[in-house]
Amino acid sequence: MTDRPRLAVIGAGPAGLAATVAAAAHGVRVTLIDAAAQAGGQFYRQPAAALRAGRPQALHHDWRTWQRLRRALDAHVRAGAVAHLTDHHVWFVERESGESGRFTVHALLGPEEADAVAVGADAVLLATGGYEKVLPFPCWTLPGVVTAGGAQAMLKGTLVVPGRTAVVAGTGPLLLPVAAGLAAAGVQVAALVESAAPRAFLRRTRALAAQPGKVAEGAGYAAQLLRHRVRTPARHTVVEAHGIDRLEAVTVAALDGEGRVRVGTERRIPCDTLAVGHGMLPHTDLAGTLGCRLDGLRVHVDDEQRTDVPGVWAAGEATGIGGSALALAEGHIAGRSAAARLTGSTPDPQEWAAAAKSRTGLREFAAAIESVYAPPAHWSEQVTDDTVVCRCEEVTAGTVREAVAQLGAGDLRTVKLLTRAGMGWCQGRICAPGVAGLAGCELTAARRPFARPVPLGVLAEDHPQPTSRAHTHPTDGGPS
């Protein structure tokens, strides 16, 4: 296997798994690098083996696809075509100078992220997924307020529910499986509060009708909510959370046609958990460190999922939020393209055409869904000046507004410099959408030197190479 070209796939969610299987099946030696202890990403997140989950499939949609991917991955690992590296937190991808064009993937090892490792590759495929977009509102920092994806991760990964009585709120297709999953696990879901208007779907019937499986999936979740008697007020939003030491209730209100709260429609719902989310954003940090072109907030790719940096492919949510089915399609195309480019082989025309057609339809569906599930246009009007918007640096909405009105800040970077919003541990990943909305400026992708916090001891070492580390892997050129 040592003479095979080497591809490093970063991320073991749907896109990364599909890419790994496709590339390994066509003559490429793959190193699948992931921060989690098990493959699957957020969509196929698995409970720890020690929990002995009796029916893990009950927590998942499209379980058969996961089983097929898992069996294929295991087969390639046994055959030596794939090295699956878990608990590897990639912080930087280095492209070597010269004509070789080789790459070195730098990662921190294990839950403590104390030891550094490096993996060599001839090409890199970024399947880094996405993360949740959360907009601030008064008292959103109370214990008991979690992201919708966070509540789902707790349920899937630890078989734990965040509370006894929950409200699921915000906007986006993720809210449906979260509410249905919590209800099935025994949580009393008091309401699913969605800010989108049902009639907006009527303007997207063509794209929706082209994906009957997706429509059926949504209908299935709606049926589950109906069985559990979950109220689903549409065109509503959370105005405020209430509580002293932890969440005790939320106030929700109806929205008018312009996305403003309709005065007099407020009502209070007792609950100990609020799972809230406003869609997803692409993870582009590693693409940014490599100098890949970004189209707005997403990585730019061509028809083969290639970025504009030679030897770098990208697939899945990093190239635009579109769900697991689109991620699988893009991952397959990216893996097959990388294999063809690295080995000099030619993909089967029929296979390629079928994959491209599927991707096109799923992208159209994703665009339709994105246009429907948009946060209320005037959400920031409900954010009081004393509301903390940057939790790391404890910056309030009033401070951000003052930077704009009195100090002339007109972009996200200037607001950051004047207020410290986004300078904390998360580097703006959580607060940037809220800060941009309050400042009335465009949300732009940050260009960070590293994709995650790195110990100073690691940075002190001068351009580490794979062979200089205490931890090396067969893909570094050693014996297989």
Side-chain angles (χ1 to χ4, degrees), residues 59 76 115 166 283 316 324 409 443:
L59 303 173
H76 287 304
D115 296 325
H283 255 310
S324 62
L443 177 62

Side-chain angles (χ1 to χ4, degrees), residues 144-193:
V145 179
V146 298
T147 66
Q152 187 182 59
M154 288 176 64
L155 185 57
K156 286 184 175 182
T158 65
L159 307 181
V160 171
V161 295
R164 295 181 178 180
T165 305
V167 170
V168 179
T171 189
L174 178 61
L175 301 187
L176 282 170
V178 169
L182 290 175
V187 176
Q188 180 187 352
V189 180
L192 191 167
V193 182

Side-chain angles (χ1 to χ4, degrees), residues 451-471:
R452 61 186 308 108
V454 187
L456 290 176
V458 173
L459 295 179
E461 298 187 16
D462 202 12
H463 298 291
Q465 297 299 318
T467 54
S468 68
R469 293 294 187 182
H471 297 84

Side-chain angles (χ1 to χ4, degrees), residues 3 42 229 233 237 298 303 329 336 362 407 446 457 477:
D3 57 340
Q42 171 67 8
R229 300 181 180 179
T237 190
R298 64 191 68 183
D303 289 342
R336 187 67 187 91
L362 288 166
L407 303 178

Side-chain angles (χ1 to χ4, degrees), residues 83-103:
H84 180 200
L85 308 182
T86 59
D87 283 324
H88 280 60
H89 308 266
V90 178
W91 59 273
F92 186 66
V93 179
E94 181 179 11
R95 189 168 188 266
E96 299 177 11
S97 59
E99 298 182 359
S100 68
R102 282 178 53 81
F103 296 85

